[in-house]
Amino acid sequence: MGWMLIILSIFVVWVASVWKILFSRSKPTFLDEGSPLLKKNVLLVVAHPDDESMFFSPTINYLTSRGHTVYLLCMSTGNADGMGSIRKDELYRACVAHKVQLDRVKVLDDPDLQDGFGQVWNHGLLANIIEEEVYGHVIDVIITFDSYGVSGHCNHGDVHYGVRKFLDDSAPGNIEAWELVSINILRKYSGLFDIWMANLDVKRHPRGLRHCLLNEHPRKSFLAMAQHTSQWVWFRKLFVSFSSYTYINTLRKME
């Protein structure tokens, strides 16, 4: 009887989570300054092709569905296994699925910014690249990884510190920057269930410093990730299915 109650409780929470994803449109408070007509130029800065789909899909869907202009800056081709050109093409296809215009997508192949756990990226170089993109496209908002970088990959952390250095050294005073909050492994692989924990976590902090972005188009996210065919192996399919980052992003303001 006890097991039946546990199973029933899990099922009820799962159904409620699915309902929230499919039928409960998240409140458009992120980047909303009281006028729905005020749209932003947003720069998403990632380290490798597929970062945008594996980790930032709810954010991209939120922004595009509300008419914000999304620019994507990918700091490498992900050439650790010699498939950089393939992964670059896959990124472009994923951006089509995400409704991000290809002329707003930039993928770098700098010899000093190569993919790999042993590759340390120069934060000053990253800051200079970000500065060029920000001033070139009149960017209002930057979104990137936090210092842990969701998975602990050193390149993700380097991107964060590159953004941080840009903010400290040469950013315009009116620019906003937000980081994707890394969570513990239990929450990370709780899938839909993390919707509730993420919302509770945001309520624990002062208003406006954190935002939960619910993925209103999860099928689009799976379609985008499926474009990364070189990475779309069985364990990554499981990751995308059970990862809470497929269904919700918590963004924290970088101060």
Side-chain angles (χ1 to χ4, degrees), residues 25 33 80 108 117 127 157 168 216 226:
R25 187 174 178 84
E33 298 179 352
L108 302 181
F117 278 98
D168 292 341
E216 299 163 347

Side-chain angles (χ1 to χ4, degrees), residues 28-227:
T29 56
F30 181 58
L31 303 187
D32 176 27
E33 298 179 352
S35 172
L37 300 179
L38 186 61
K39 304 305 178 185
K40 303 282 190 178
N41 290 336
V42 182
L43 178 65
L44 175 61
V45 186
V46 298
H48 317 111
D50 81 9
D51 287 348
E52 83 298 331
S53 298
M54 289 188 69
F55 306 122
F56 291 94
S57 204
T59 297
I60 296 173
N61 289 339
Y62 179 95
L63 295 170
T64 57
S65 67
R66 285 163 176 79
H68 298 292
T69 301
V70 177
Y71 292 86
L72 176 61
L73 174 60
C74 185
M75 291 295 186
S76 78
T77 61
N79 196 41
D81 297 320
M83 295 190 294
S85 60
I86 294 173
R87 296 191 65 186
K88 180 178 179 180
D89 290 339
E90 291 170 349
L91 173 60
Y92 286 130
R93 294 201 299 271
C95 287
V96 171
H98 271 307
K99 309 299 182 185
V100 176
Q101 293 186 22
L102 296 186
D103 60 353
R104 296 171 182 160
V105 179
K106 187 171 185 177
V107 186
L108 302 181
D109 189 14
D110 191 299
D112 294 322
L113 301 174
Q114 292 299 302
D115 177 21
F117 278 98
Q119 300 290 333
V120 179
W121 292 356
N122 182 283
H123 301 164
L125 173 60
L126 293 168
N128 290 338
I129 294 169
I130 294 164
E131 178 180 4
E132 181 180 342
E133 294 299 305
V134 166
Y135 285 99
H137 298 298
V138 195
I139 297 298
D140 304 300
V141 180
I142 301 174
I143 299 174
T144 192
F145 292 105
D146 66 5
S147 59
Y148 183 72
V150 179
S151 65
H153 197 298
C154 60
N155 297 159
H156 297 178
D158 286 333
V159 167
H160 166 85
Y161 287 114
V163 172
R164 173 68 67 188
K165 183 169 179 56
F166 164 69
L167 294 174
D168 292 341
D169 292 352
S170 56
N174 61 342
I175 198 166
E176 292 183 28
W178 296 81
E179 58 189 7
L180 179 63
V181 175
S182 298
I183 54 180
N184 65 58
I185 194 167
L186 292 178
R187 286 185 56 191
K188 184 177 179 179
Y189 293 109
S190 63
L192 288 167
F193 296 104
D194 192 56
I195 290 171
W196 311 103
M197 292 299 298
N199 278 281
L200 287 173
D201 183 55
V202 166
K203 291 178 181 178
R204 291 175 46 245
H205 294 84
R207 182 178 176 85
L209 296 184
R210 292 195 182 203
H211 289 276
C212 281
L213 305 185
L214 188 66
N215 193 346
E216 299 163 347
H217 307 285
R219 290 182 63 184
K220 186 188 296 184
S221 300
F222 282 95
L223 176 61
M225 188 60 212
Q227 305 309 307

